[in-house]
Amino acid sequence: MSNYPVEPFRIKMTEPIRLISRDQRLKAIQKAGYNLFALKAEDIFIDLLTDSGTGAMSQAQWGALMVGDESYAGARSYFRLADTMQKIFGFEHFVPTHQGRAAENIVSAVMVKEGDSIPSNMHFDTTEGNIRARHGIPVNLVIDEGLDPRSQFLFKGNMDLAKLEDFIKRTGSAHIPFGAITITNNAGGGQPVSLENIRQVSAMYHKYKIPFFIDSCRFAENCYFIKLREKGYASKSVLDIAHEVFALADGAWMSAKKDALVNIGGWLAVRDSKLHQKICEELILREGFTTYGGLAGRDLEAMSVGLWEGIDEDYLKYRIEQTAYLGNRLLECGIPIIEPPGGHAVYLDAGSLLPHIPPEQFPGQALVVALYIEGAIRGVEIGSVMFAHPDPVTNKVVHPKLQLVRLAIPRRVYTQAHFDYLVDVARKVAENCASLGGYRMTFAPELLRHFTAKFAPVG
Ligand code: F0G
């Protein structure tokens, strides 16, 4: 049984969407080189490309925009955000950044040297890209359950502690400028990390004197999963859980476009004053002064309000149940997904659905294109298009273990009827999946190629 949660809000403003014809969709996707990033957003009916920056702001956030202080330095809006940051995350220092990857760039610029390794449960693509851009090596050490779509383990984002210790011993802490963990684990199905695991990871990094950073863009969803699933946390508030999580870290960054419910924004926070000084220098060079970091004063206001709304437990209940509804309905139709459904997205298991398409022919891309042609739905491939890369030693292409299509759910945007439409479309695609063919890449840039690659159908 799938139950759709009642939204804890009502709708005050609407944005029209329209469904273009199948013929128009076929022309549009061909013109886009079969890359859904190259489509016009207006040619999409239900846009699940990302949950990043695509949420609906609340009346309180829109109201807060009007009181933004646009002073270049020392704006009131900065101090309001600093107060929120202190109350939720508790780091000694923080800087605003225009989004998550700006923070990743700064961390990488000031900490990563050529040949350094950065372990995590799983890095997201922009984190990987920023580490590689500094000639560092991102390393993913998620538990094996995290790579098994069928495993019902409740914290599939957890780090494998044995693999982590082995990796640190082999690499040497001198070559690990910092260690990370991503909550929730976006690249691995939006799966949460338990507080126990975060505590053990923190202890492990600290045993080897490695600073511990949290990629926290979906921290609120992760903390809510801890409350729901981890023994001893049911009666704690999400805020209390967040305090426990961040007290374990030496630093963190966040794309506020996710759990802070804004269309643009981010931050980078640390405890160490010397590191903060270096971060400020890099920030001023690339983003802006330390009290606005590439954002307008009004953006800082919207972020301050959004951070509190993001940890509201009525909202989180709705959010997590909405994702579960979509995931469970797809499962009822026999469509394989990463189970159990994660926080911000449902991940279709394209590798299992399309076993006749080898990784080199991008089964995820085949599925994502088919969903667009069938129903003007936009998802994103998270498989070999995004993550296949040449092995640094052998130069042979290494494919990721999972070939996925992510249907990411914008916050407070779509209703049950939108999801029911999507399930019908996905069912039709799945019924005809044997007829789908693979793709070959006709153009690819070196870093973050999925954004601009072009494809052609094979055969
Ligand atoms: N870290 C994680 C785990 C992310 O999911 C993202 C973005 C970033 C960092 C970078 O943040 O986009 O503000 O620069 N994820 C988006 C997504 C793009 O679709 O999952 P950003």
Side-chain angles (χ1 to χ4, degrees), residues 50 99-101 104 124 126 182 186 215 218 255 258 406:
T50 179
Q99 59 184 81
R101 71 198 68 182
E104 291 164 357
F124 193 59
T126 56
T182 311
N186 185 11
D215 178 347
R218 299 181 184 85
S255 166
K258 284 83 167 173
R406 187 187 71 175

Side-chain angles (χ1 to χ4, degrees), residues 425-438:
V425 170
R427 189 197 294 118
K428 279 184 206 143
V429 169
E431 278 163 10
N432 295 314
C433 63
S435 67
L436 299 181

Side-chain angles (χ1 to χ4, degrees), residues 139-208:
V139 179
N140 294 333
L141 301 171
V142 74
I143 53 170
D144 291 342
E145 290 90 334
L147 299 172
D148 171 5
R150 251 36 93 214
S151 162
Q152 298 295 325
F153 190 64
L154 292 178
F155 290 102
K156 289 170 78 172
N158 281 359
M159 183 93 82
D160 187 318
L161 293 158
K163 281 189 212 160
L164 178 61
E165 180 146 41
D166 181 58
F167 178 79
I168 296 173
K169 280 186 180 156
R170 277 189 291 115
T171 310
S173 32
H175 302 290
I176 306 178
F178 68 97
I181 202 160
T182 311
I183 61 172
T184 56
N185 180 16
N186 185 11
Q191 299 291 323
V193 181
S194 72
L195 224 165
E196 187 192 16
N197 191 254
I198 298 172
R199 195 172 287 118
Q200 289 164 331
V201 167
S202 167
M204 178 80 74
Y205 283 137
H206 290 154
K207 177 173 162 192
Y208 291 94

